Amino acid sequence: MPAHSRAVVVAAQTDEPQGIELFLPAGYDLFWSSVVIVIIAAVFYKMILPRMNAVLDERASLIEGGIAKAEAAQKQADEALAQQQELLAEARSDAAKVREEARAEGTAIIKELKVKASEEAERISETAHRQIEAERQAAAVSLRTEVGALATDLASKIVGESLEDSARQSRVVDRFLDELEASQTVASTKEA
Amino acid sequence: MTRAGPNDHLGVLLSTYATSVILAATEGHEGEGGFHTPSISDFFPSAILFEGTIFQIDRLWIIRIIATLVLLSVFVIAARRAKVVPGRFQAGIEFLLSFVRVQIGEEIMGKERSRRFVPMLTTIFLSILAFNLTGVIPGLNLAGTSRIGLPLVLALWVFVTYWAVGIRKHGLGGYLKSNLFPPGVPWPIYAILTPIELLQLLIIRPGSLMVRLVANMIAGHIILVLCFAATQFFVVDSAGTGLMVFGALTLPAGIFMTLFEVLVAFLQAYIFALLAAAYINMSLEEEH
């Protein structure tokens, strides 16, 4: 049997669609296909895709949020660092200033104290000089009177009553004193 | 396989691949004994319930229902359990969804414009994929898209959509004018061009969408049946004869064709969704 006639027989036996009929749907085929597609589309439109998109959006916003948060934290950290460095620099300059001031102050105090000390020393030595001078004069004055009396006593003891004449006595004493003074001056100039 | 018999009534719409295979199938084979000849009747199994009404239920109906239930279960479970940090299962599902959104929607229509149509493209891509894959699943062994109803419904949806968005954007007149009288063409050419463009809009675009899909699935099924029926015939029915040797050829061919059908299942779903996006995008183009 040639292939062609056999195919015709087969087609006739099974009542299968031929040619263009293959592309013209039977009513039941169209009906059930529509039902199936409508169900699939409805579930995808109403449930699956909105749910999946919500999850995707949530993920995207989470990632964006995370990035924003990290950026904010980074910015904060940078600001803190800058602030810290500023404070540090400020503290350093403050410290330097304080040190400088302290040094200047110290120098000033030392200078002042030195001046004060030398003034004090001068004053003390001047007082001492004055005191010494005063004591010396007092000593000289008392010496003059005492030595005069002593010498007169001594001389009258030595020469007896002969010197009772007051005029003479006075002359003798004066001469004696002048000599004494002269010898003293000679002695002091010699000392000097 | 390529000779054109008097039976080539399938028209020029089919690819030569599909045509030659279908012709080979309808012409039958010289197999004797237990050899099962793959034929078009495979796609029209006898009714189980409601025969002759539009509610008729047959084996292909069961296959489509199973594919629908599996597809929806998988995605509903994924959507229910969707977390911000995805597991492996969710990552796989998200890969499929983002493939449609990015590789088909955004690639063809751009980010802004595609947003409205992503649910439609997703439904089209995933349902075609699921119904195509039933063709290689043992026990089902028949693609849900291998009978014209399903591809036709989907093509009709695309057809209505691209007309609707085109008319809504440009008005009926503007839409027809920009499509039927493309500017920059000398006016006598319109005599030829306009009927062709009208045919494009009305028949060729939806027709090629559905015929491409259904013909690929029919051809794939016939080749698979051919390979496995031949293996059965050579290895089991002809046991002990020299014909068993041919089983060493037909069995690997069947395995290879099964894998090839998986590829075709993805490819056809991709092409259908891609062209749907392209047709809708053409309706939305600004007037030139």
Side-chain angles (χ1 to χ4, degrees):
Chain A
M1 186 182 338
H4 169 51
S5 55
R6 184 188 155 82
V8 172
V9 171
V10 168
Q13 278 168 352
T14 56
D15 195 24
E16 67 191 20
Q18 294 202 14
I20 196 69
E21 286 172 29
L22 203 53
F23 302 111
L24 296 175
Y28 68 91
D29 191 16
L30 203 57
F31 173 74
W32 287 117
S33 298
S34 311
V35 169
V36 161
I37 290 299
V38 166
I39 290 172
I40 294 175
V43 176
F44 268 92
Y45 271 72
K46 295 286 170 210
M47 193 249 157
I48 294 167
L49 289 173
R51 180 84 187 85
M52 296 304 283
N53 284 338
V55 169
L56 289 181
D57 290 348
E58 196 182 334
R59 186 182 305 158
S61 70
L62 211 68
I63 292 170
E64 275 164 15
I67 291 171
K69 209 185 273 179
E71 271 172 0
Q74 183 66 46
K75 202 175 153 196
Q76 222 165 2
D78 286 348
E79 273 171 11
L81 188 67
Q83 210 170 0
Q84 204 176 6
Q85 273 170 345
E86 203 176 305
L87 282 176
L88 197 64
E90 211 169 292
R92 276 207 187 112
S93 79
D94 277 1
K97 208 186 286 175
V98 166
R99 214 161 25 206
E100 199 57 41
E101 276 175 10
R103 195 177 293 147
E105 210 168 314
T107 323
I109 287 169
I110 288 170
K111 215 178 266 175
E112 197 180 324
L113 281 179
K114 267 185 190 162
V115 169
K116 239 183 222 171
S118 66
E119 271 174 5
E120 185 76 8
E122 219 165 278
R123 196 173 57 78
I124 288 169
S125 73
E126 201 177 322
T127 319
H129 275 303
R130 225 175 275 151
Q131 209 168 346
I132 290 167
E133 181 62 19
E135 272 170 15
R136 196 187 59 85
Q137 277 179 359
V141 169
S142 72
L143 261 178
R144 181 174 289 221
T145 48
E146 274 176 32
V147 167
L150 270 175
T152 315
D153 276 357
L154 187 64
S156 43
K157 272 181 189 154
I158 295 168
V159 293
E161 309 292 318
S162 63
L163 287 178
E164 274 173 11
D165 178 18
S166 67
R168 236 169 139 170
Q169 192 179 5
S170 147
R171 227 166 32 230
V172 169
V173 168
D174 281 346
R175 203 171 58 212
F176 173 71
L177 279 177
D178 285 344
E179 277 170 13
L180 193 73
E181 215 161 69
S183 76
Q184 245 179 2
T185 319
V186 170
S188 69
T189 46
K190 258 186 196 166
E191 266 175 40
Chain B
M1 293 272 270
T2 49
R3 76 188 171 88
N7 273 18
D8 66 344
H9 41 234
L10 296 175
V12 288
L13 290 173
L14 284 176
S15 67
T16 51
Y17 164 67
T19 311
S20 55
V21 169
I22 290 166
L23 285 177
T26 50
E27 280 162 13
H29 288 263
E30 300 305 318
E32 302 294 330
F35 186 74
H36 169 77
T37 314
S39 77
I40 292 300
S41 61
D42 289 0
F43 305 100
F44 297 91
S46 49
I48 298 169
L49 276 174
F50 313 124
E51 185 166 3
T53 69
I54 64 161
F55 305 112
Q56 181 176 312
I57 288 171
D58 57 21
R59 206 173 87 78
L60 195 63
W61 181 90
I62 296 171
I63 289 170
R64 283 174 177 170
I65 295 298
I66 290 172
T68 305
L69 288 179
V70 170
L71 173 71
L72 290 183
S73 311
V74 167
F75 276 83
V76 166
I77 288 170
R80 281 258 174 84
R81 292 188 187 162
K83 293 192 202 81
V84 173
V85 180
R88 270 184 210 172
F89 172 61
Q90 193 188 335
I93 295 296
E94 280 182 12
F95 170 77
L96 277 176
L97 292 177
S98 75
F99 174 77
V100 179
R101 190 179 64 242
V102 178
Q103 298 300 322
I104 299 176
E106 291 176 8
E107 195 73 16
I108 298 291
M109 313 177 81
K111 204 160 188 148
E112 277 306 307
R113 204 181 268 178
S114 72
R115 195 162 296 150
R116 267 167 70 198
F117 301 102
V118 164
M120 176 184 178
L121 297 174
T122 307
T123 307
I124 288 176
F125 177 80
L126 290 175
S127 51
I128 292 177
L129 181 62
F131 291 126
N132 284 356
L133 286 174
T134 58
V136 291
I137 291 171
L140 303 178
N141 288 112
L142 191 60
T145 42
S146 61
R147 200 162 62 197
I148 195 70
L150 231 152
L152 187 134
V153 169
L154 292 172
L156 211 61
W157 186 11
V158 175
F159 173 81
V160 170
T161 304
Y162 74 70
W163 273 88
V165 298
I167 290 170
R168 199 172 303 157
K169 185 166 171 100
H170 304 295
L172 181 60
Y175 176 62
L176 286 176
K177 185 172 171 290
S178 69
N179 274 284
L180 301 185
F181 300 97
V185 178
W187 67 267
I189 305 295
Y190 286 132
I192 312 165
L193 197 61
T194 302
I196 293 175
E197 291 291 333
L198 188 63
L199 213 59
Q200 279 264 22
L201 275 184
L202 288 174
I203 294 167
I204 295 178
R205 282 180 189 174
S208 64
L209 273 182
M210 68 178 191
V211 170
R212 181 185 304 107
L213 178 57
V214 82
N216 267 283
M217 289 304 116
I218 289 173
H221 173 76
I222 287 170
I223 287 183
L224 281 180
V225 171
L226 205 57
C227 287
F228 290 126
T231 306
Q232 166 82 9
F233 174 71
F234 288 134
V235 175
V236 180
D237 298 342
S238 315
T241 70
L243 284 175
M244 277 186 81
V245 181
F246 292 108
L249 204 68
T250 55
L251 184 61
I255 294 168
F256 172 77
M257 286 314 297
T258 302
L259 296 175
F260 183 68
E261 279 308 304
V262 175
L263 173 70
V264 170
F266 274 96
L267 206 62
Q268 288 303 320
Y270 175 63
I271 290 172
F272 199 112
L274 194 75
L275 286 176
Y279 294 155
I280 293 169
N281 195 45
M282 281 181 203
S283 293
L284 289 171
E285 289 300 357
E286 297 300 326
E287 286 183 52
H288 310 285

